[in-house]
Amino acid sequence: KLAQISAEGVRVVMPDGTSLSGRPIGPMGEPGSAVDVMVRPEKLDVLEQPDAAGHENRLPGTIEMVNFLGSQQEYEVRTSGG
């Protein structure tokens, strides 16, 4: 759910209570409204340790499938939100 809107961006709270910050890409609703969260794949790091320093937006999940696509890899990750 949308938790906060400010000049710096937005903060959302995931179903498990995890808080994420980012920039909106379109009009936002009111705090408390449901929103979709999208992650740019080129900005994503997959970490083994959940408390790795230097990563403020962390979303715990379980890797369910890895597809090897030549020099790239595609991960399917299950989070508390699905």
Side-chain angles (χ1 to χ4, degrees):
K1 291 187 175 186
L2 183 60
Q4 180 182 19
I5 304 170
S6 69
E8 292 81 37
V10 298
R11 185 172 60 86
V12 298
V13 177
M14 303 300 288
D16 68 353
T18 301
S19 179
L20 301 173
S21 299
R23 295 187 185 106
I25 59 170
M28 301 302 307
E30 296 293 320
S33 61
V35 294
D36 291 323
V37 174
M38 296 183 291
V39 178
R40 293 178 61 123
E42 68 273 14
K43 302 290 185 183
L44 180 69
D45 292 322
V46 177
L47 306 172
E48 185 175 348
Q49 299 297 321
D51 59 349
H55 294 84
E56 67 178 87
N57 283 326
R58 290 173 277 171
L59 187 60
T62 302
I63 296 175
E64 300 215 330
M65 185 185 316
V66 179
N67 293 317
F68 297 96
L69 307 168
S71 63
Q72 297 181 346
Q73 298 165 351
E74 178 181 84
Y75 294 91
E76 287 187 21
V77 180
R78 175 144 329 262
T79 66
S80 65

